Amino acid sequence: MFADEGSARCGTVLPTAYRSDVVFWIVPVGQDVRHGTATRPGALPAGSDVLVLCARRFKLPTSTPWPDVPRTSSITRQCEDCTAEYERLGRPSTVWDF
């Protein structure tokens, strides 16, 4: 079991996906801008509504089959409201493409 405080005591840095305080920058279905969410990738099935930092809800995309590259991988623009909330929270973040 991974626990942030336990790993900090033994000096191990957890990969971002295992931390509980991470903001994931995703591109919701039908969007062309990244939104930040605290919902971990894989926690909800594709098509589920996910709450993003700008307090809106969007649908999660379906996974891209391996070895294809997700069409969203080239999208770098971020929602300004999500960015402001992310900066206020001061959390680590990572980009996540489905």
Side-chain angles (χ1 to χ4, degrees), residues 1-97:
M1 180 85 146
F2 292 98
D4 290 341
E5 52 283 343
S7 62
R9 282 195 298 268
C10 66
T12 304
V13 177
L14 288 173
T16 307
Y18 293 114
R19 294 181 53 148
S20 61
D21 61 344
V22 174
V23 170
F24 297 95
W25 291 98
I26 65 167
V27 180
V29 171
Q31 299 292 306
D32 62 353
V33 64
R34 291 192 178 274
H35 289 269
T37 182
T39 302
R40 289 182 186 193
L44 299 171
S48 296
D49 282 346
V50 65
L51 181 65
V52 295
L53 297 180
C54 64
R56 297 187 337 210
R57 290 194 169 273
F58 291 105
K59 294 213 178 289
L60 289 175
T62 57
S63 297
T64 302
W66 187 86
D68 295 345
V69 175
R71 69 159 189 83
T72 58
S73 62
S74 64
I75 297 175
T76 58
R77 194 169 59 124
Q78 295 176 331
C79 167
E80 291 179 12
D81 294 334
C82 285
T83 300
E85 181 64 9
Y86 160 71
E87 289 172 353
R88 187 190 71 75
L89 291 170
R91 294 179 171 186
S93 73
T94 190
V95 170
W96 193 277
D97 289 302

